[in-house]
Amino acid sequence: MNILLVDDDPTNLAVLENSVRCFGFEPTTVENGRDALRLIRTGSFQMVISDIEMPGMSGIELCREIRGRATNGYVYIILLTSYCDTESVIKGLDAGADDYMSKPFHPAELQMRLRAGKRLLSLEGRDLVIFTMAKLADHRDNETGAHLERMRLYTQLLASELSNWPQYRNTVDGQYVRLIYMTSPLHDIGKVGIPDRILLKPGPLTPEEFEIMKTHTIIGAETLESAAQHYPEADFLRMAYEIALTHHERWDGSGYPNGLAGEQIPLCGRITALADVYDALTSRRVYKPAFSHEKARRIILDGAGSHFDPAIVQAFLNVEREFIQIQHRAATDCVEQSLFQVPSFRSSLNLPMTV
Amino acid sequence: MATMMALETDACDALLNSNSLVERCMGNLDLVQRLLSRFADSGRQDCEHLEAALRAGDLRTLASVAHRLKGNSATIGAERMARLASRIERESKSAGAANLDSVLNSLVAEIRAVQVEVSQRCHESLDAFQNLGANGGGE
């Protein structure tokens, strides 16, 4: 992995270069912020370690410049500070740095901070791959529109609302909300296994064709389950599996593929069911116009207790305003805002004491 | 963090802590040698800069040179020097820079002492330096 080292002090730069090379990175060194910015714009660097106090452009200004421009993927920034410069640390983090390290640093500390950075960058890569897979599967029958972008925002919104309810406190936490946002776009991934003549048929399906159509839930689930068996620690695969399998189940047991009822249906499946139906209702299809929010809302309310979990319908009503906003927002905006969402490390930092 | 805090106390107060330098260079003795030579070469000029800035009452330059020296000396393990440079930097940034004179004299004396130490070590073979490092460094 390439790493860009920025410091006007050649001694410090040489020590940094030596360490990161020992840790298996490919270092490139520059002595000022302007040169750093020029190299970052080439898209070759996802990691930058920069001194703060430099003539010309300071490390803090460099951070601000990097964050202020669209870059090809996320750039992870570690700032180097003097040992008693808490004020600069705060300014640097506020300008968008991910982490900081006091000088002179210990190589073992540098190694751990680099590891944290790599972990974060790989998570971003994973999220992008998941979403790309989902888009690929969706592309066959849904070439236009931003169904998946809206879907994940709807599911995120519903889960986030439920996380405030006492009865869900132990199941729906921040991690759950993040996972459902990440995995709900995979709900229809099994459609890749449905033949074109059925998936793309303009008219209504015959009962036989519909039986085949229903199998997209099982095809998707089986694919994700086999992946989950290889990576049992990947809880997002587990949730993706549950969503793919159960998002067409209904609260009263009349859904498919297994006719599960009530809480037999995993919560993530119940949430995705409502989000999927709401988006289908408010989007234009070959066989129907886009319904207004009010009409979609009536249909969903009618389905409380039969099609939908009444609690999820209540959650929907509580965040109705946000649903309308998402539905109206241009799809491209959704992509830009959400694709590069990266958790912040700031709250977990221990700032050094001023001496 | 231990190293950094130590800079402000007398507990760890070496003229040249070669142990920490070797560790920071991850055992790359070639790099150790290069850093020490560079440091020895620039010492005299650094002293001149500091004294000229003080004579001219140019506290900004003084703070900036002291800042650089603080970083450099801490990196090569000149702990006492790092502590003195840090004091100069701090005091030249604060309004009442009263006893800068005496601290600056101490710093200049310290730079010269480190320079002498470094030149001696640079003349020793790398093996000898490594032994010094392995035996606990210090003065």
Side-chain angles (χ1 to χ4, degrees):
Chain A
M1 183 180 213
N2 290 333
I3 189 162
L4 185 63
L5 310 173
V6 195
D7 200 325
D8 61 311
D9 178 42
T11 298
N12 200 39
L13 207 50
V15 173
L16 257 181
E17 185 182 15
N18 181 60
S19 305
V20 297
R21 200 184 291 284
C22 286
F23 296 139
F25 291 81
E26 250 339 294
T28 299
T29 61
V30 286
E31 296 190 356
N32 63 70
R34 295 260 162 241
D35 288 348
L37 206 56
R38 190 174 44 77
L39 286 175
I40 289 163
R41 276 192 222 128
T42 64
S44 314
F45 297 95
Q46 279 193 287
M47 252 207 207
V48 177
I49 303 180
S50 174
D51 189 25
I52 289 187
E53 204 165 312
M54 294 184 290
M57 184 186 281
S58 75
I60 293 168
E61 286 162 338
L62 177 62
C63 273
R64 219 169 273 136
E65 288 284 335
I66 295 173
R67 293 292 178 246
R69 292 156 196 259
T71 45
N72 183 21
Y74 192 73
V75 177
Y76 192 88
I77 308 171
I78 303 176
L79 287 179
L80 293 173
T81 75
S82 298
Y83 62 95
C84 59
D85 199 1
T86 312
E87 196 188 330
S88 294
V89 168
I90 294 168
K91 276 190 195 154
L93 293 173
D94 188 49
D98 297 280
D99 202 354
Y100 78 98
M101 204 167 48
S102 302
K103 289 193 291 186
F105 59 87
H106 193 283
E109 183 186 353
L110 174 65
Q111 190 178 23
M112 292 307 129
R113 296 197 185 275
L114 291 172
R115 188 184 290 175
K118 270 180 90 169
R119 198 184 301 133
L120 186 134
L121 291 170
S122 75
L123 282 178
E124 185 208 29
R126 184 191 68 182
D127 289 6
L128 281 174
V129 170
I130 291 174
F131 195 65
T132 307
M133 273 171 58
K135 284 297 267 188
L136 195 61
D138 195 50
H139 188 68
R140 276 179 65 216
D141 64 328
N142 200 359
E143 285 186 35
T144 54
H147 169 56
L148 298 181
E149 283 85 348
R150 289 188 303 267
M151 270 292 290
R152 61 180 182 179
L153 290 172
Y154 292 144
T155 57
Q156 181 186 40
L157 195 55
L158 290 170
S160 160
E161 165 63 19
L162 292 176
S163 69
N164 297 320
W165 296 15
Q167 63 268 44
Y168 293 100
R169 188 165 293 155
N170 293 327
T171 37
V172 185
D173 55 8
Q175 167 78 352
Y176 190 98
V177 176
R178 183 172 158 72
L179 277 183
I180 201 165
Y181 172 83
M182 193 203 302
T183 57
S184 57
L186 292 169
H187 65 288
D188 271 344
I189 198 170
K191 281 188 177 169
V192 292
I194 305 298
D196 281 353
R197 67 183 164 81
I198 298 174
L199 188 70
L200 306 178
K201 187 175 172 183
L205 300 179
T206 66
E208 294 75 28
E209 286 167 342
F210 190 53
E211 285 308 310
I212 295 173
M213 188 63 185
K214 284 176 178 178
T215 62
H216 82 271
T217 52
I218 296 171
I219 296 169
E222 282 174 351
T223 309
L224 290 160
E225 190 183 26
S226 65
Q229 277 166 357
H230 284 96
Y231 302 98
E233 73 283 1
D235 39 6
F236 71 94
L237 285 173
R238 180 83 217 160
M239 188 185 271
Y241 159 80
E242 288 181 344
I243 288 176
L245 186 63
T246 66
H247 71 281
H248 283 293
E249 298 288 0
R250 293 173 176 229
W251 185 250
D252 62 7
S254 65
Y256 66 88
N258 294 315
L260 301 179
E263 296 191 351
Q264 284 180 319
I265 310 164
L267 181 63
C268 55
R270 282 178 266 149
I271 293 174
T272 307
L274 190 150
D276 195 22
V277 169
Y278 178 84
D279 195 59
L281 291 171
T282 52
S283 305
R284 195 171 58 81
R285 292 286 196 271
V286 276
Y287 51 85
K288 70 171 243 321
F291 293 164
S292 67
H293 168 78
E294 288 67 29
K295 187 166 181 183
R297 178 185 194 270
R298 261 200 314 280
I299 296 172
I300 284 177
L301 254 59
D302 284 346
S306 53
H307 191 158
F308 306 113
D309 176 350
I312 311 288
V313 174
Q314 184 56 53
F316 163 72
L317 290 176
N318 292 1
V319 291
E320 198 181 344
R321 192 188 299 260
E322 288 89 338
F323 261 75
I324 298 172
Q325 282 170 358
I326 294 168
Q327 188 218 328
H328 285 312
R329 204 185 298 161
T332 45
D333 286 350
C334 301
V335 180
E336 269 177 34
Q337 282 180 13
S338 48
L339 269 184
F340 298 112
Q341 238 175 28
V342 178
S344 165
F345 278 164
R346 292 179 200 183
S347 54
S348 60
L349 281 174
N350 291 315
L351 297 176
M353 288 192 316
T354 311
V355 281
Chain B
M1 195 55 71
T3 325
M4 289 121 238
M5 300 310 272
L7 293 178
E8 288 282 311
T9 69
D10 287 335
C12 188
D13 208 18
L15 177 67
L16 190 63
N17 185 343
S18 45
N19 238 358
S20 68
L21 174 57
V22 173
E23 201 176 10
R24 218 163 275 136
C25 293
M26 299 187 70
N28 182 345
L29 296 180
D30 211 33
L31 178 62
V32 169
Q33 190 87 342
R34 261 192 294 138
L35 295 186
L36 289 179
S37 319
R38 186 183 291 152
F39 189 85
D41 290 346
S42 62
R44 180 198 296 239
Q45 212 178 16
D46 288 333
C47 292
E48 284 168 5
H49 277 157
L50 286 171
E51 283 165 340
L54 184 68
R55 270 200 307 276
D58 182 357
L59 295 182
R60 260 179 87 143
T61 304
L62 197 58
S64 133
V65 176
H67 176 80
R68 186 170 48 77
L69 284 176
K70 177 180 75 176
N72 274 338
S73 51
T75 299
I76 67 154
E79 293 164 355
R80 204 155 57 209
M81 179 179 155
R83 194 162 51 83
L84 288 165
S86 172
R87 262 184 78 182
I88 300 271
E89 184 193 4
R90 204 174 48 228
E91 284 181 25
S92 51
K93 277 178 180 169
S94 69
N99 56 346
L100 266 177
D101 251 336
S102 69
V103 187
L104 194 82
N105 285 338
S106 311
L107 178 60
V108 167
E110 186 70 20
I111 294 174
R112 295 199 170 118
V114 176
Q115 253 189 310
V116 171
E117 179 74 11
V118 165
S119 319
Q120 277 174 5
R121 294 205 187 180
C122 284
H123 285 112
E124 292 164 5
S125 71
L126 283 179
D127 283 348
F129 188 84
Q130 192 172 23
N131 288 338
L132 264 173
N135 291 338
E139 298 178 43

